[in-house]
Amino acid sequence: MNESRNKPLSWAVVGGGFAGIRTAMLLAQRGEQVTLIEAAAGLGGLASPWSIDHVEWDRFYHVILLSDRYLRSVLKELRLDDEISWVQTKTGFLASGKLHSLSSSIDFLFFPVLNWLQKFRLGMTIFAGSKIRRWKPLEKILVEDWLRKWSGDSTFEKIWRPLLQSKLGDAYQRTNASFIWAYIQRMYSARRSGLKREMFGYVPGGYRRIIDALGPHLDRLGVNVQTGTLVQSVSRDKDGRFQLGIESKGGKSEEAFDRVVLTTPSSQIASVTAEWTDDERNRLTDTEYLGVICTSLLLDRPLAGYYVTNLLDPGIPFTGIIEMGAILPMDKLNGNYLVYLPRYLMSDDPGFHEPDSEIHTRAIQTLKGIYPGFQSEWIRGIRTARAKSVMALPTLDYSNRRMPVTTSIPGVYCLNSARIVEGTLNVNEVIRMVDEEFESGIWSPHLALRDAKHA
Ligand SMILES: Cc1cc2nc3c(=O)[nH]c(=O)nc-3n(C[C@H](O)[C@H](O)[C@H](O)COP(=O)(O)OP(=O)(O)OC[C@H]3O[C@@H](n4cnc5c(N)ncnc54)[C@H](O)[C@@H]3O)c2cc1C
């Protein structure tokens, strides 16, 4: 701890997803007095677990990559890294009603959807994307223009448009090329080298195990964790401290802190205080979020064995099919084969209000249409999760329009995943974002003290 201070500062970290958890860990390791405040009943945010018919696994599908070094260093701290099970995975494509493997160079050569020239250009696109280090110029180009330039119009229509549309809906037309660059970078790093096979991992027990290990760890670090506590407002009192208006089971109350770090979605950050400048408020409210509706199914038998099946055929109401069971052996999940059917859509899409029953009927019809012989009787459990704020849409020049970490209110910091511009959204990137902000010195006790004088 800084010797020039006698007393640690009291910090409120708002949001108990991995951005908040990591921020709380690092502040506490520095000797600060930290309270981590989460609205939901448990920690984890998008990576939190849930149950389907007494079978507990991640609410949304999660895998760890060999190259996820920030996440893995946290797992090392929790003594879980050595337990990760690593599995080679296969990728499938559905085209013209047929499933094709695209998991190796040989598969690529025989992939029937593209001719030789188209394959060459697709390969060049991925190779070029993997080699680019200066990503910023890509922010000025629309992803469609960049992909058409590298892959050609026919490959764009056959491969890229269906993939972009399924992941981003029509918002792909406003998305910049750094989106696909980040995606290629992550997929490339999933392979040991070149076009070799992907290695994905999971901690036995899933994120439930990770969250359970985090509880005592945060406790040892002295972090006060308050779950089931919604932060509604942040205001300054006459002593320059921050009063957080909170709502929990016990009703409404206020709690005072010296510093506040907000890790929640931008729209929530915009609404917590009237003190933002116009520029800050615009940055926060202009951030468009992509959300997801994700149906989990527990089956009594495997499907095709591809971790991801990309759907190129038009009209399928899901983004892809994720066979978690291709990674997670059935005996590790009480004899069940777990499958996710995600559908990404913008956070204001009316689709979020569609009842579960309709989504479930469509999910079953979709599976029947793709896997010959699929029967409803194979389903042991089905449940749908929704999250409206998953990923900030990287529109043109997005990085210059983000909310800065240090705000116009000295002592209030914004550190949510909407800041991520150099990577796809995943737990590793979120932890990396927090670690890098700490390393950059923005959180140094010296600066914290200077803020206090200015408050
Ligand atoms: C379908 C899907 C698949 C994914 N697959 C992977 C994967 O394979 N690998 C991977 O690494 N990552 C994956 N991710 C991404 C990963 O889950 C996220 O990147 C990460 O969990 C984001 O953490 P976060 O803390 O930034 O945000 P969040 O997890 O959204 O956390 C924000 C928290 O703030 C809380 N909150 C909001 N408002 C308030 C308030 N007013 N007061 C108090 N608390 C509040 C929320 O309840 C939430 O817990 C996936 C995500 C999804 C949705």
Side-chain angles (χ1 to χ4, degrees):
M1 222 189 78
N2 185 359
E3 286 166 14
S4 62
R5 274 201 270 129
N6 302 325
K7 226 175 108 211
L9 293 168
S10 66
W11 292 71
V13 178
V14 183
F18 272 82
I21 292 169
R22 184 60 179 160
T23 305
M25 284 170 76
L26 293 181
L27 284 169
Q29 279 163 6
R30 207 175 71 186
E32 307 291 0
Q33 193 186 309
V34 186
T35 301
L36 177 59
I37 308 176
E38 166 57 44
L43 295 180
L46 294 171
S48 59
W50 74 346
S51 300
I52 313 169
D53 290 344
H54 309 294
V55 175
E56 199 171 33
W57 198 257
D58 309 340
R59 193 161 53 113
F60 300 108
Y61 50 95
H62 278 76
V63 284
I64 302 166
L65 268 53
L66 281 168
S67 54
D68 280 351
R69 78 183 166 93
Y70 290 88
L71 168 57
R72 293 184 60 192
S73 85
V74 169
L75 294 177
K76 270 196 190 101
E77 255 179 271
L78 301 175
R79 296 175 199 278
L80 290 176
D81 188 58
D82 288 343
E83 292 194 32
I84 299 175
S85 295
W86 295 107
V87 182
Q88 278 194 356
T89 59
K90 291 195 298 170
T91 301
F93 272 77
L94 179 80
S96 308
K98 278 198 181 140
L99 285 172
H100 306 278
S101 177
L102 197 53
S103 316
S104 66
S105 314
I106 304 281
D107 287 346
F108 188 66
L109 289 180
F110 289 102
F111 189 52
V113 178
L114 303 175
N115 65 32
W116 288 107
L117 181 63
Q118 291 165 337
K119 277 180 200 167
F120 175 74
R121 292 194 70 176
L122 178 63
M124 284 307 290
T125 311
I126 295 171
F127 183 72
S130 75
K131 292 290 165 212
I132 290 174
R133 292 288 165 265
R134 285 180 58 246
W135 59 276
K136 259 208 134 191
L138 294 174
E139 268 205 321
K140 313 250 180 239
I141 310 168
L142 289 171
V143 67
E144 175 169 358
D145 294 345
W146 190 80
L147 287 171
R148 279 187 189 278
K149 189 180 109 192
W150 279 93
S151 293
D153 289 339
S154 51
T155 303
F156 180 82
E157 296 300 337
K158 284 184 181 175
I159 302 280
W160 291 116
R161 191 200 291 280
L163 291 182
L164 289 173
Q165 195 129 32
S166 69
K167 184 87 183 174
L168 302 165
D170 286 341
Y172 83 84
Q173 291 162 352
R174 306 198 295 283
T175 303
N176 78 52
S178 74
F179 171 80
I180 203 73
W181 168 79
Y183 199 80
I184 292 170
Q185 291 279 326
R186 183 158 171 83
M187 286 305 108
Y188 232 73
S189 62
R191 296 156 192 264
R192 279 178 202 274
S193 67
L195 279 173
K196 287 189 189 158
R197 288 174 184 269
E198 292 168 348
M199 292 288 282
F200 286 164
Y202 66 93
V203 171
Y207 268 84
R208 156 59 61 215
R209 190 82 194 294
I210 300 174
I211 304 290
D212 282 353
L214 272 166
H217 190 66
L218 289 168
D219 203 38
R220 275 193 297 276
L221 289 171
V223 176
N224 169 25
V225 178
Q226 294 183 9
T227 51
T229 307
L230 182 82
V231 173
Q232 292 180 313
S233 60
V234 177
S235 55
R236 264 186 283 198
D237 64 20
K238 58 180 175 16
D239 304 320
R241 298 189 84 209
F242 297 101
Q243 292 290 340
L244 261 58
I246 55 182
E247 191 176 346
S248 60
K249 255 193 192 155
K252 290 192 179 196
S253 58
E254 287 207 327
E255 240 180 280
F257 296 91
D258 299 314
R259 298 283 177 275
V260 182
V261 187
L262 301 162
T263 71
T264 50
S266 300
S267 55
Q268 196 277 330
I269 296 180
S271 68
V272 287
T273 177
E275 288 191 43
W276 299 129
T277 62
D278 287 347
D279 177 57
E280 286 170 333
R281 188 172 303 284
N282 290 341
R283 284 170 186 262
L284 290 166
T285 53
D286 285 353
T287 304
E288 296 178 72
Y289 270 89
L290 195 67
V292 72
I293 301 176
C294 189
T295 301
S296 302
L297 295 108
L298 292 177
L299 306 180
D300 68 359
R301 67 196 72 193
L303 290 178
Y306 300 119
Y307 174 64
V308 178
T309 301
N310 296 297
L311 307 171
L312 299 182
D313 289 348
I316 299 177
F318 296 96
T319 297
I321 296 169
I322 312 294
E323 292 180 52
M324 194 69 208
I327 293 184
L328 180 65
M330 288 174 76
D331 60 353
K332 297 256 180 347
L333 208 63
N334 300 0
N336 291 291
Y337 193 83
L338 176 59
V339 175
Y340 294 92
L341 291 185
R343 179 181 165 213
Y344 289 88
L345 59 185
M346 296 309 290
S347 60
D348 56 358
D349 194 295
F352 274 107
H353 304 296
E354 198 178 7
D356 285 2
S357 55
E358 285 175 27
I359 299 172
H360 294 175
T361 305
R362 249 199 340 264
I364 295 165
Q365 279 166 355
T366 299
L367 293 175
K368 282 184 176 168
I370 297 176
Y371 303 96
F374 184 92
Q375 290 172 27
S376 311
E377 289 71 40
W378 297 4
I379 301 172
R380 289 179 172 154
I382 183 165
R383 196 175 172 193
T384 290
R386 293 170 181 75
K388 283 194 169 181
S389 306
V390 172
M391 187 190 98
L393 191 73
T395 45
L396 286 179
D397 212 17
Y398 174 73
S399 67
N400 293 328
R401 293 184 289 106
R402 291 174 299 167
M403 180 75 175
V405 179
T406 337
T407 70
S408 65
I409 312 171
V412 175
Y413 301 91
C414 283
L415 196 53
N416 67 2
S417 66
R419 287 203 53 72
I420 295 171
V421 284
E422 274 182 74
T424 57
L425 183 67
N426 56 69
V427 176
N428 185 65
E429 278 303 321
V430 165
I431 296 174
R432 174 179 156 188
M433 165 188 80
V434 176
D435 285 14
E436 288 183 351
E437 288 302 338
F438 267 74
E439 280 161 23
S440 75
I442 213 160
W443 307 88
S444 75
H446 170 73
L447 281 179
L449 206 63
R450 193 193 66 182
D451 282 351
K453 282 182 195 146
H454 285 243

